[in-house]
Amino acid sequence: MAAASTSIEQLFLQALQADKAFTKKWIVSWDYQKILSRRNVKYESSIISDFFEFKGAAEIAKWMNWFSTDYPDYMQNDAIRALVAKSRTTDERLLQKLGLEYDWTNYDNRVGINNAHDFILPQAYPVPERNRIKAVLDFGAGYGRQANLWHDQPVAYIGMDAIINSYCLQNIYYKTLTDNVTEYIDNPAAFRFDAGKPGIYHLPTWRLDLIPDNSLDLVMCVQVLPELGPRLVRYLVTQFERILKPGGAWYIRDHAYTWKPTGNFDLEAYLPEHGFTLEYKAHIINDKDIHGVPRIWRKTNPDVVQSQKRTFKHELQQLIVDADTLTGGGLKKLTRKIRGKK
């Protein structure tokens, strides 16, 4: 396993070096963890502590320990419980393949419940056929956990990151989940994303340009945006607007206004001015009802907006109805008379 891990790290660093034209410092930065590093903050030995150095597949189990408390089950139904059970079965099989030890005592109420919520919430209510989820981007994908419940769905699923430890762990997690993985660092020149071809696609953040315009139905950002610098977040807004289809969903779950460790950039105020409409925001008590505040923003669809506007024809029809009302139906009678009706 060590040789394979080293190979992944080398491939990542080679891609990073070869892609200098794309790797701006602010694109490959995780500001929150850099702040903690400068403050010399240390984590417990049982959880992952250094995100900027790859130390092998064992870090997956340590990252799973990052969920250190039991989280509330917001939906509390059989569908959630079934997804938690499925998530656990998949991870048990995956860690066994990797030869990793893990204490499963609290998995269901920590990793499992987060996986279930993030799978079901973006698709929990009816949408038109054009907005059905067939192509997904998981941005800032951690160790790759959300692929657990998405990988066997008929979707093209992209995992994305720019941090070496995260990216290498995602590579291992995805390739242990399934053979159907298209990995950028394996052959950068040959990488192609096909939104119509289900499977896992793995891509570094600095190559967002490889995702075609208007090709995705869903972007997911879970507990990531408040930890990034404002310049990167503004850049992501422009990119997500570009790659989402009209009406495509941007699912965000974090602590919204209550926790902004890297600055006071107000994303919620910024999005309506840059092509997005808020469709859903859970009216919940943060961290009591669910871990974080789920929101769904949609890339504005001009056809939808136009269909809900009052046109000149609508206004003219209303004027006629109002005039007929004022005359006690006289306008309608007069119209019939002019048309030769009795």
Side-chain angles (χ1 to χ4, degrees):
M1 194 68 215
S5 299
T6 301
S7 175
I8 297 167
E9 183 179 21
Q10 288 174 346
L11 288 171
F12 177 88
L13 292 173
Q14 288 169 9
L16 186 67
Q17 178 67 21
D19 289 342
K20 277 186 175 180
F22 303 97
T23 55
K24 306 289 191 289
K25 285 185 178 180
W26 51 271
I27 289 181
V28 299
S29 180
W30 188 356
D31 288 24
Y32 175 56
Q33 290 301 330
K34 288 185 175 180
I35 290 170
L36 293 185
S37 179
R38 288 197 294 270
R39 291 171 54 204
N40 199 30
V41 172
K42 303 293 183 183
Y43 298 115
E44 299 174 13
S45 59
S46 61
I47 66 175
I48 194 167
S49 59
D50 186 355
F51 296 91
F52 301 104
E53 182 180 350
F54 180 55
K55 298 178 181 178
E59 298 274 278
I60 291 176
K62 285 191 171 185
W63 203 317
M64 290 167 70
N65 285 332
W66 192 265
F67 298 96
S68 58
T69 60
D70 291 353
Y71 295 107
D73 181 358
Y74 175 51
M75 304 183 80
Q76 299 183 18
N77 59 34
D78 290 342
I80 286 289
R81 284 185 282 272
L83 288 170
V84 169
K86 180 181 178 182
S87 174
R88 177 169 178 154
T89 299
T90 300
D91 272 344
E92 285 176 338
R93 185 169 58 247
L94 186 145
L95 264 63
Q96 184 178 28
K97 285 183 181 179
L98 293 171
L100 300 179
E101 296 292 329
Y102 179 74
D103 182 357
W104 297 94
T105 306
N106 299 308
Y107 177 93
D108 290 5
N109 296 322
R110 298 182 183 185
V111 179
I113 199 68
N114 276 276
N115 285 352
H117 284 158
D118 293 329
F119 178 78
I120 208 166
L121 281 171
Q123 46 189 341
Y125 54 86
V127 294
E129 176 60 33
R130 65 178 176 274
N131 293 142
R132 297 287 171 83
I133 298 172
K134 305 178 188 71
V136 180
L137 168 62
D138 178 11
F139 179 83
Y143 65 86
R145 67 171 180 85
Q146 293 202 75
N148 178 306
L149 293 174
W150 283 97
H151 82 279
D152 60 355
Q153 303 298 304
V155 301
Y157 176 96
I158 306 170
M160 178 170 284
D161 219 299
I163 308 303
I164 186 167
N165 200 23
S166 310
Y167 197 95
C168 292
L169 292 178
Q170 289 160 22
N171 177 291
I172 295 170
Y173 192 89
Y174 296 154
K175 289 186 175 181
T176 309
L177 268 180
T178 176
D179 294 330
N180 190 11
V181 179
T182 302
E183 171 59 71
Y184 175 80
I185 63 174
D186 286 346
N187 190 349
F191 182 92
R192 297 291 183 276
F193 171 65
D194 183 350
K197 183 181 177 184
I200 294 179
Y201 298 80
H202 196 205
L203 190 63
T205 303
W206 62 83
R207 293 313 309 266
L208 265 163
D209 64 293
L210 293 177
I211 303 178
D213 296 359
N214 304 310
S215 62
L216 301 185
D217 305 290
L218 173 67
V219 170
M220 299 185 292
C221 291
V222 178
Q223 304 292 1
V224 61
L225 296 174
E227 300 185 8
L228 306 178
R231 185 175 183 182
L232 176 53
V233 175
R234 286 193 291 268
Y235 169 74
L236 293 174
V237 171
T238 63
Q239 288 298 303
F240 295 165
E241 184 185 11
R242 177 183 67 79
I243 62 182
L244 278 167
K245 298 175 184 176
W250 183 356
Y251 168 72
I252 302 172
R253 181 172 65 82
D254 53 41
H255 300 292
Y257 301 105
T258 64
W259 189 71
K260 293 189 174 184
T262 59
N264 292 317
F265 177 67
D266 191 344
L267 179 64
E268 308 285 315
Y270 189 78
L271 286 176
E273 301 173 2
H274 294 83
F276 289 91
T277 299
L278 181 63
E279 180 173 78
Y280 166 79
K281 182 175 183 178
H283 191 69
I284 54 94
I285 300 175
N286 183 20
D287 269 351
K288 181 177 180 181
D289 298 320
I290 187 174
H291 180 48
V293 182
R295 290 97 77 199
I296 294 178
W297 292 81
R298 289 209 178 263
K299 176 180 172 179
T300 304
N301 185 333
D303 292 339
V304 171
V305 174
Q306 186 60 39
S307 75
Q308 296 178 14
K309 282 184 176 179
R310 192 174 183 181
T311 65
F312 176 75
K313 181 180 179 181
H314 293 143
E315 292 178 356
L316 182 59
Q317 288 172 339
Q318 188 61 52
L319 284 172
I320 293 171
V321 169
D322 292 345
D324 192 50
T325 302
L326 288 172
T327 60
L331 182 60
K332 189 175 182 179
K333 292 176 183 177
L334 178 61
T335 303
R336 284 179 175 175
K337 189 173 183 179
I338 293 173
R339 290 177 178 174
K341 295 181 180 179
K342 295 181 181 179

